Amino acid sequence: MKSYQIFNKNFKIKNVKKIYENHIKDRPSVGIDGININVFEKSQDIEFETIHRKVFNGTYDFSFYKEKLISKGRKKYPRVISIPTIRDKIVLKVISNVLSEIYEEDLSNELIHTKVDLIKNAINKNHYDSFIKIDIENFYPTINHKELMKIIHKKTKKVEFTSLLKKSISQETVSKSNNKIEKYTNKKGVPQGLSISNLLSTIYLINLDKKHSTKSDYDYFRYVDDILILCRNSDIDRIFSDIKSDMKKLKLKIHEIGVSSQKTDNGLIKNGFYFLGYLFSDKLITVRESSITRLHNSIVDIFIQYKYSKEKRIELLLWKLNLKITGCKFNDKKYGWLFFFSQITDKTTLYKLDLFINNMFKKFEINIDGYKVKKFKRTYFEILKNRTSTKYIPDFTTLSTKDKKKILKDIFNMNVDFKNVDYRFDKIIYKNIKQMEEDIQMY
């Protein structure tokens, strides 16, 4: 199917509506216009028609993206996340689907688990003794719009689409609406937090990936702005120089070797290296200490919230804690710390985490006789051996409205009308999913 046909198909009204129902409706975040799902749905048919009409006549305009700052730790600039309005979320998701179809043959949809498994297998083959770890400096904010559109223009020359895409990445992100701020003045970088952000970053590096993943004298792995090379020690300088040159052509910079081992680094595989939150060596794959510390702190927060709550609801404490341990399935996706780190071979870490939770109950003097606390080691087994049929890990997508209402009442002490149950329940789940995603942040 040609690119213009893909565009026309995806922006039909019935597909726009489908995108809203399947991908946007349950997302509670509100954009700069303050319109939430309940307000949007009062005029949703008009909104869908407006999207269709304005996209096809080239007059669709994005609202300013609402700024949200995410802390990256002390002495670091916060990460700026851009939150679109509901209408813009729909359009951005359709754009993402169009791009995914156009680049279907070029895109690698490997999950982190797959990449980790490939790295593990490459290490076990003992073909290489060394590694190079490369970090692209300030990646998303420095993606060059002209270079990006040049790459995309080779695949599609549909003016309505390329113009819409250019608007989406050049719109400004602001802390509050302001008539004095000029629209579409962002000349560099892809806003983070949009449904197109990761996809555009991948498209920007497609040719780089193609070149280096086909080399016979080293193995190349990339995830967003992190690159790992497994190679022979004698080839380190040559490979690093080649990648640095390719980045320069893309108007990107990489951190130099020796500046920070957390960014760009090289060394012997047997001495171990960090990548994607994992610690790799020639014998063991485990989790980096900072990731475990972050999880510890997140667990402690649950106990502190319980300690200082007025009601002291043990059911709520256990629900949050068990969700932290097992993660969950929701809308055909898997979330949680152990889902992310399921490729570890270091079982000791799991026993230590279960012991840590036992110690937290003792420290906070909480008696849980008669209650069931789930285990990291059991969750690990379920993920590896029983992933598709496990009942141990909750699947919130399969719950009926009646089941959701019961959880809201029994766990959260909320009496909600049946018509609002799905919305209120999904909002709680997304809040907890967001916290679980923060637990596995690597930077």
Side-chain angles (χ1 to χ4, degrees):
M1 191 180 291
K2 294 183 179 180
S3 59
Y4 76 87
Q5 293 173 314
I6 294 172
F7 172 81
N8 292 344
K9 177 192 71 173
N10 277 277
F11 273 105
K12 285 182 177 178
I13 291 179
K14 66 177 182 180
N15 190 64
V16 170
K17 183 176 182 179
K18 185 179 177 182
I19 289 293
Y20 170 74
E21 292 291 336
N22 293 343
H23 300 281
I24 311 300
K25 187 176 181 179
D26 296 324
R27 304 280 176 172
S29 60
V30 175
I32 200 77
D33 60 358
I35 294 176
N36 61 27
I37 294 296
N38 291 333
V39 174
F40 181 86
E41 289 194 340
K42 291 177 182 177
S43 58
Q44 64 179 24
D45 290 335
I46 296 173
E47 294 285 358
F48 298 147
E49 193 280 328
T50 300
I51 289 171
H52 172 81
R53 174 171 45 82
K54 289 193 172 186
V55 165
F56 277 97
N57 67 24
T59 61
Y60 187 86
D61 268 331
F62 290 89
S63 299
F64 289 120
Y65 300 131
K66 186 172 74 173
E67 178 186 84
K68 181 179 180 180
L69 301 179
I70 305 293
S71 174
K72 295 171 64 177
R74 195 172 62 175
K75 297 183 179 180
K76 292 183 180 179
Y77 289 110
R79 180 180 283 115
V80 178
I81 300 299
S82 301
I83 301 175
T85 63
I86 293 172
R87 183 199 286 182
D88 288 347
K89 280 183 189 177
I90 298 169
V91 174
L92 289 164
K93 183 59 182 176
V94 181
I95 291 174
S96 176
N97 287 355
V98 172
L99 287 170
S100 294
E101 283 195 58
I102 291 173
Y103 282 92
E104 186 176 10
E105 295 180 359
D106 300 304
L107 294 172
S108 169
N109 294 317
E110 289 177 353
L111 300 172
I112 281 185
H113 312 110
T114 306
K115 288 189 183 295
V116 171
D117 203 40
L118 290 171
I119 294 168
K120 180 167 58 177
N121 291 337
I123 291 173
N124 290 338
K125 288 178 182 177
N126 292 318
H127 290 170
Y128 309 112
D129 60 0
S130 298
F131 72 90
I132 313 170
K133 191 180 70 171
I134 296 171
D135 180 84
I136 303 173
E137 193 173 326
N138 210 20
F139 179 38
Y140 281 93
T142 57
I143 290 176
N144 186 280
H145 287 186
K146 187 176 179 180
E147 291 294 325
L148 176 61
M149 297 309 298
K150 190 191 301 181
I151 293 168
I152 291 172
H153 194 66
K154 289 178 181 178
K155 283 281 191 179
T156 175
K157 296 177 175 60
K158 178 76 172 171
V159 175
E160 290 88 347
F161 180 66
T162 54
S163 174
L164 186 67
L165 178 60
K166 183 67 184 297
K167 282 182 177 180
S168 72
I169 60 175
S170 61
Q171 183 56 293
E172 289 290 339
T173 299
V174 297
S175 58
K176 60 182 179 179
S177 188
N178 189 329
N179 292 331
K180 294 181 180 180
I181 300 174
E182 191 176 348
K183 282 190 169 186
Y184 305 121
T185 54
N186 177 37
K187 301 300 181 185
K188 187 171 69 171
V190 170
Q192 295 185 65
L194 309 183
S195 57
I196 59 171
S197 303
N198 288 347
L199 184 55
L200 289 177
S201 71
T202 299
I203 290 170
Y204 196 65
L205 298 177
I206 272 181
N207 293 327
L208 178 86
D209 291 344
K210 284 182 178 179
K211 173 183 174 180
H212 292 282
S213 60
T214 56
K215 296 292 185 179
S216 59
D217 56 340
Y218 57 87
D219 284 347
Y220 167 94
F221 307 92
R222 183 184 66 81
Y223 187 78
V224 192
D225 55 354
D226 281 329
I227 296 170
L228 174 70
I229 305 290
L230 300 181
C231 61
R232 289 181 288 273
N233 188 262
S234 57
D235 294 332
I236 288 177
D237 291 341
R238 172 181 61 83
I239 296 169
F240 182 79
S241 178
D242 192 20
I243 291 179
K244 183 178 179 180
S245 175
D246 290 337
M247 291 291 182
K248 190 174 182 180
K249 292 173 186 175
L250 288 168
K251 309 290 193 295
L252 296 172
K253 288 177 65 179
I254 58 178
H255 289 91
E256 294 291 339
I257 290 177
V259 173
S260 169
S261 61
Q262 299 295 319
K263 299 293 183 181
T264 296
D265 194 15
N266 71 92
L268 296 175
I269 292 173
K270 67 179 182 181
N271 292 335
F273 61 88
Y274 295 110
F275 190 64
L276 303 180
Y278 283 82
L279 172 59
F280 294 85
S281 71
D282 57 346
K283 295 180 180 179
L284 197 68
I285 299 176
T286 187
V287 184
R288 66 190 305 165
E289 193 61 39
S290 60
S291 297
I292 295 173
T293 300
R294 188 176 291 109
L295 179 62
H296 280 176
N297 292 340
S298 183
I299 290 169
V300 170
D301 284 343
I302 293 174
F303 282 91
I304 291 174
Q305 289 170 20
Y306 172 80
K307 179 180 179 179
Y308 291 103
S309 64
K310 292 180 180 179
E311 296 180 326
K312 297 286 190 301
R313 294 179 60 80
I314 190 70
E315 297 86 358
L316 180 59
L317 166 68
L318 291 173
W319 188 89
K320 288 184 175 182
L321 186 60
N322 284 335
L323 186 61
K324 187 74 68 175
I325 294 166
T326 64
C328 68
K329 300 175 185 179
F330 189 54
N331 289 344
D332 298 322
K333 291 186 179 180
K334 301 174 182 68
Y335 301 92
W337 191 88
L338 205 42
F339 268 119
F340 186 90
F341 289 114
S342 62
Q343 294 297 308
I344 63 173
T345 58
D346 173 23
K347 312 288 196 314
T348 305
T349 296
L350 305 176
Y351 289 96
K352 287 181 178 178
L353 285 170
D354 287 332
L355 180 61
F356 176 79
I357 287 177
N358 288 339
N359 289 336
M360 284 298 100
F361 279 109
K362 293 177 183 177
K363 180 177 180 180
F364 283 86
E365 299 179 340
I366 300 172
N367 184 358
I368 54 165
D369 290 344
Y371 293 95
K372 186 175 181 180
V373 181
K374 295 192 175 182
K375 303 290 184 183
F376 279 97
K377 57 180 179 289
R378 168 72 185 276
T379 302
Y380 178 78
F381 172 83
E382 294 292 326
I383 290 173
L384 292 189
K385 306 294 184 183
N386 199 23
R387 184 182 294 231
T388 57
S389 58
T390 179
K391 302 296 183 184
Y392 195 74
I393 300 169
D395 185 347
F396 295 124
T397 311
T398 62
L399 294 181
S400 66
T401 302
K402 183 179 179 181
D403 292 332
K404 293 177 183 178
K405 184 176 176 64
K406 188 176 187 324
I407 290 174
L408 290 174
K409 185 176 184 302
D410 294 348
I411 305 299
F412 294 92
N413 200 24
M414 295 169 59
N415 284 305
V416 182
D417 293 337
F418 260 101
K419 65 179 181 179
N420 293 319
V421 167
D422 291 338
Y423 173 75
R424 295 298 295 272
F425 183 82
D426 289 353
K427 191 171 183 179
I428 286 172
I429 298 305
Y430 274 116
K431 180 180 179 181
N432 281 274
I433 283 173
K434 190 176 293 184
Q435 291 170 347
M436 286 191 285
E437 287 177 334
E438 289 174 1
D439 293 340
I440 57 176
Q441 291 297 313
M442 295 170 285
Y443 311 107

